[in-house]
């Protein structure tokens, strides 16, 4: 079990591929940082339940919300140092004080909690961030993305 505030390292953000992938530099080694515990829109587009409809719904959403497509570039800054920690489920990037980048994406409606994710230290924080977006109908919560991209368990 990983403690909520375990060993946190400082890395230099060197590149932002998209909302789902960033690269950090730590002691001259590149660290790929993918938000933990969540499925970003970019990941959904690759693994959607109905791939063509999923990609089309996400593309339509991003065309009408271009700032959301650039969310990482508008909220994270290359050549700036960030606290981060790696856990088995991914990378915890502290992008806004104690708030993780995963929580920021959930709160903006640009991701959903991965149904396979279960980490007692983080479950509550991620659920609160996602519920806020659901209540406000922010991001994907006001679209058909969930219907086309998520395989609902029966």
């Amino acid at each position: 079990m990983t403690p909520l505030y375990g060993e946190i390292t400082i890395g230099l953000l060197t590149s932002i591929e998209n909302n789902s992938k960033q690269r950090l530099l730590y002691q001259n080694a590149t660290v790929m940082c993918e938000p933990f515990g969540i499925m970003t829109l970019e990941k959904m587009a690759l693994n959607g339940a109905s791939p063509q409809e999923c990609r089309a719904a996400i593309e339509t959403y991003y065309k009408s919300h271009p700032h959301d497509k650039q969310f990482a570039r508008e909220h994270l800054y290359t050549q700036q140092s960030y606290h981060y920690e790696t856990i088995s489920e991914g990378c915890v990037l502290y992008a806004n004080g104690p708030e993780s980048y995963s929580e920021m994406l959930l709160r903006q409606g640009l991701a959903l909690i991965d149904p396979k994710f279960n980490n007692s230290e983080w479950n509550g924080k991620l659920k609160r961030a996602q519920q806020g977006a659901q209540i406000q109908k922010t991001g994907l919560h006001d679209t058909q993305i969930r219907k086309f991209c998520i395989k609902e368990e029966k």
Side-chain angles (χ1 to χ4, degrees), residues 35-130:
F36 78 104
I38 63 172
M39 296 182 303
T40 61
L41 292 177
E42 288 77 10
K43 280 187 182 177
M44 287 180 215
L46 294 173
N47 306 317
S50 301
Q52 290 177 321
E53 293 94 341
C54 178
R55 277 192 289 280
I58 291 170
E59 286 174 22
T60 299
Y61 175 78
Y62 276 152
K63 282 179 185 167
S64 60
H65 299 84
H67 286 285
D68 285 349
K69 186 170 186 170
Q70 300 299 321
F71 186 83
R73 287 181 179 86
E74 291 181 4
H75 291 86
L76 302 174
Y77 305 99
T78 56
Q79 302 307 309
Q80 180 172 316
S81 295
Y82 288 94
H83 290 89
Y84 78 96
E85 62 183 303
T86 53
I87 58 175
S88 59
E89 296 89 359
C91 177
V92 181
L93 181 67
Y94 295 97
N96 187 17
E99 184 178 45
S100 71
Y101 179 61
S102 294
E103 291 170 276
M104 291 172 66
L105 288 170
L106 288 169
R107 192 170 28 81
Q108 192 67 26
L110 300 177
L112 294 171
I113 297 172
D114 187 332
K116 294 175 277 199
F117 178 77
N118 186 16
N119 181 311
S120 60
E121 300 284 341
W122 285 96
N123 287 342
K125 290 182 81 164
L126 296 181
K127 283 179 184 168
R128 279 190 297 277
Q130 182 171 290

Side-chain angles (χ1 to χ4, degrees), residues 15 17 20-25 29-35 84 86 90-92:
S15 70
E17 188 173 316
S20 189
K21 292 183 182 178
Q22 297 81 40
R23 293 183 200 283
L24 298 164
L25 186 64
T30 299
V31 177
M32 180 59 84
C33 189
E34 294 187 31
Y84 78 96
T86 53
C91 177
V92 181

